[in-house]
Amino acid sequence: MNRTTLSLIAGVTALAAVTGFAAVSAPDPGAAEERTGAAATLPVERTGLLCPQPSTSDLAETTYTSFTPVTEGADDKGTAVLRAAAQQSAPEENADGESEDEKEGENGEDGSTGENGENGENGEKDEQGGKGAAKDAQADKPVLQLQAPGKPVAVEANGADAPALVGTADGRFASGWTAQQTTEIAAGTGRGLQGVACSAADTQFWFPGASTDDSRTDYLHLTNPDDSAAVVDIELYGKDGELETTVGEGVTVKPRSAEPLLLSTLTAEKQTDVTVHVVVRSGRVGAAVQALDDETGGDWLPASADPSGSLVLPGIPKDAKAVRLVAFTPGDADVDLKVQLASPSGLITPAGNETLHLKGGMTAGFDLGDLTRGEAGSLVLTAPDGSVPVVAAVRVLRGEEGKQESAFIPAARPLETRATALDNTAKGTTLSVTAPQGGAEIEVTASAGTKGGTPQTKTYTIKSGTTQDVEAPVPAGLKGSFALTVETRSGGPVYASRTLARTEGGVPFFTVQPLPDDRGMVAVPDASEDLSVLQK
């Protein structure tokens, strides 16, 4: 029997198999002729978050908080667990996890420890146990675990041993899952309040506003959530273009681990304003810059929104004493940025800073002074015709000379549907919302507290071109901290940020986090079976 005959028999057999399956599973005769409907919007079923190592200071007091809003249509089962990541640069004697276990025991009343077997913990242990490394043992035990949507949980970790976290949520906890770490440092370099929202892994990040100056100690934190190593390239851009780096290419981040890199060790050049570009060659990572100053404290610098010809930097505190804008445009084209301030009364142009000139491929810094002049404000940057993409961030100072604290606000992504800010308190929390292009209506819900309280909801109207510090609701009978969930109802686009503030020793400690959309919903196209594809 020759090959042609064999091929023919094989083809007929395969066709018979397909036809037989089609007959068994054939849809209703009219289904193939029905038009598919519009895509349905459904809750996501799985999501991941990464939190960088909070601090290397022995004086650090860190609170981790986790929360998922109640989402209609979500599954009735699921888990949301954050575990410690291995620290690549940590001493081996810290790998036994004893301090983390003690911290969990102190906070079990908040639901932070996972005692039941429904959290998928055994599967995680099997995955890690095969590696046989003692230092992975601490990563198996949850640092923070949610018990129910709608109620945040919190756990405290003090000192320099507080770990970076790697987490996954699925089922009813996946849609809108948010985590935050807030750290207070009483003294030393970077003293003040430092806060950062835990973020999803990605393959590219931009950080305008970093520095390699002698007065600054800036770390780039990289966290790898996967079971294979990630390889990362780090590019630095200063006032004259790209800086020569010594170890910026091919940085390896080990599986399920975190690595802090001191920026000043990557280059010999000392520059006040630096843009950091992180490009992942293989795998994916979470990334954030921790910017610490000898005199003006410090905070986390989250990644800027993707390069764009139109940027919004929301929620500059109304009592800001100084605002410094750092911007960068990739590529060779220069651009004159139009600068506007979205104030409570509308868009205005700051006197003397109507336009700012950026040279292609070079980082530029601009001192804007006390830009807000006692009113809530957001920066709106626009390139002519939106033709030249830009990334940007501002450094904000509050307080009087000698007792100042700093925070960073990067260009933010719009809040399309919903976003959440965590670790809020009845006093010292400011929610700032701007609608630069058109009026919008938003709904803000204050969740139950970590230790008790009843949720409250309010609706607000934001006028076009304005920024408003809204009086956010507070849970009735609040005990502990709570979550603020912002949902768009109409109009927009909307941008938002949340400021936490407290005064310690006469110094105004504060931190600002933009509120990115939680991407908790996904469009799923409606489809029907069509057997006609078998005839093509």
Side-chain angles (χ1 to χ4, degrees):
M1 188 179 290
N2 59 32
R3 293 185 179 180
T4 304
T5 306
L6 286 172
S7 299
L8 180 59
I9 292 174
V12 171
T13 303
L15 180 60
V18 172
T19 306
F21 175 79
V24 171
S25 59
D28 185 70
E33 298 179 3
E34 293 179 4
R35 295 176 61 89
T36 58
T41 302
L42 301 175
V44 299
E45 297 180 351
R46 185 178 176 85
T47 189
L49 291 175
L50 304 170
C51 314
Q53 182 184 8
S55 178
T56 57
S57 171
D58 291 333
L59 301 178
E61 299 178 355
T62 297
T63 300
Y64 300 106
T65 312
S66 176
F67 174 78
T68 293
V70 177
T71 302
E72 184 178 351
D75 196 351
D76 59 354
K77 297 181 180 180
T79 61
V81 179
L82 285 159
R83 293 181 168 88
Q87 296 296 322
Q88 286 189 218
S89 56
E92 287 297 323
E93 59 265 28
N94 290 341
D96 58 9
E98 181 179 352
S99 60
E100 281 75 14
D101 293 348
E102 293 171 354
K103 291 160 193 169
E104 288 176 34
E106 294 170 1
N107 293 276
E109 64 183 11
D110 290 343
S112 58
T113 58
E115 297 179 331
N116 60 24
E118 298 176 357
N119 59 10
E121 183 179 344
N122 292 334
E124 193 72 19
K125 285 181 179 177
D126 291 340
E127 179 181 316
Q128 295 294 329
K131 302 184 185 307
K135 66 180 181 180
D136 289 338
Q138 73 176 60
D140 287 337
K141 195 167 185 179
V143 172
L144 202 60
Q145 179 182 352
L146 285 180
Q147 300 298 322
K151 182 181 178 181
V153 297
V155 63
E156 294 182 357
N158 297 330
D161 293 333
L165 303 181
V166 175
T168 302
D170 58 20
R172 64 176 180 158
F173 293 102
S175 180
W177 184 41
T178 307
Q180 157 94 17
Q181 62 185 38
T182 308
T183 303
E184 182 174 326
I185 302 174
T189 298
R191 63 97 177 94
L193 197 62
Q194 301 176 21
V196 64
C198 304
S199 60
D202 209 338
T203 57
Q204 183 171 228
F205 305 86
W206 292 95
F207 298 98
S211 178
T212 58
D213 192 73
D214 287 334
S215 65
R216 286 269 290 272
T217 306
D218 287 15
Y219 289 90
L220 171 63
H221 288 253
L222 302 174
T223 308
N224 178 8
D226 298 323
D227 293 326
S228 58
V231 180
V232 178
D233 291 337
I234 303 167
E235 302 167 354
L236 305 179
Y237 295 90
K239 58 184 178 63
D240 298 317
E242 186 169 2
L243 304 181
E244 183 178 349
T245 58
T246 53
V247 291
E249 292 187 4
V251 176
T252 299
V253 185
K254 295 179 183 179
R256 301 185 67 80
S257 69
E259 180 173 8
L261 299 170
L262 182 60
L263 291 183
S264 59
T265 64
L266 302 183
T267 180
E269 299 190 46
K270 304 295 183 181
Q271 300 218 0
T272 302
D273 301 308
V274 172
T275 297
V276 181
H277 185 206
V278 177
V279 181
V280 184
R281 272 196 225 171
S282 64
R284 57 190 187 133
V285 299
V289 170
Q290 190 175 35
L292 311 176
D293 191 277
D294 293 341
E295 296 182 359
T296 58
D299 204 351
W300 289 93
L301 170 61
S304 170
D306 294 335
S308 173
S310 178
L311 299 175
V312 178
L313 292 74
I316 300 173
K318 60 184 179 181
D319 60 349
K321 292 295 183 181
V323 177
R324 182 173 178 82
L325 170 67
V326 180
F328 174 81
T329 175
D332 300 327
D334 293 1
V335 61
D336 289 313
L337 280 179
K338 179 181 179 182
V339 180
Q340 293 177 294
L341 181 71
S343 70
S345 57
L347 288 169
I348 60 175
T349 301
N353 292 300
E354 296 83 356
T355 60
L356 302 175
H357 184 70
L358 291 183
K359 294 182 179 180
M362 302 180 187
T363 299
F366 307 92
D367 287 319
L368 305 181
D370 56 342
L371 180 71
T372 54
R373 298 184 182 277
E375 294 185 324
S378 302
L379 267 185
V380 180
L381 307 177
T382 310
D385 302 323
S387 57
V388 179
V390 177
V391 293
V394 294
R395 184 189 188 205
V396 179
L397 294 180
R398 293 178 63 236
E400 301 300 328
E401 191 75 26
K403 290 188 175 183
Q404 290 185 321
E405 229 270 77
S406 58
F408 294 84
I409 306 172
R413 295 177 177 85
L415 196 168
E416 297 176 357
T417 303
R418 182 182 62 185
T420 299
L422 301 183
D423 206 21
N424 301 288
T425 55
K427 295 182 179 180
T429 296
T430 302
L431 179 64
S432 185
V433 185
T434 184
Q437 299 175 16
E441 184 177 87
I442 62 169
E443 183 177 275
V444 181
T445 299
S447 74
T450 53
K451 298 179 181 178
T454 305
Q456 301 291 325
T457 299
K458 288 184 179 181
T459 301
Y460 305 87
T461 298
I462 311 299
K463 294 181 180 180
S464 177
T466 69
T467 296
Q468 295 184 29
D469 285 350
V470 304
E471 187 177 347
V474 175
L478 171 65
K479 294 181 180 180
S481 66
F482 63 97
L484 281 174
T485 298
V486 182
E487 297 182 75
T488 58
R489 292 305 181 201
S490 62
V494 170
Y495 300 80
S497 68
R498 188 281 315 271
T499 299
L500 296 178
R502 63 191 70 156
T503 300
E504 300 290 344
V507 180
F509 287 11
F510 77 114
T511 179
V512 184
Q513 282 86 57
L515 273 59
D517 194 273
D518 64 26
R519 299 181 181 179
M521 307 297 288
V522 62
V524 179
D526 185 21
S528 62
E529 296 185 61
D530 183 1
L531 295 181
S532 65
V533 298
L534 298 176
Q535 301 173 354
K536 297 179 181 178

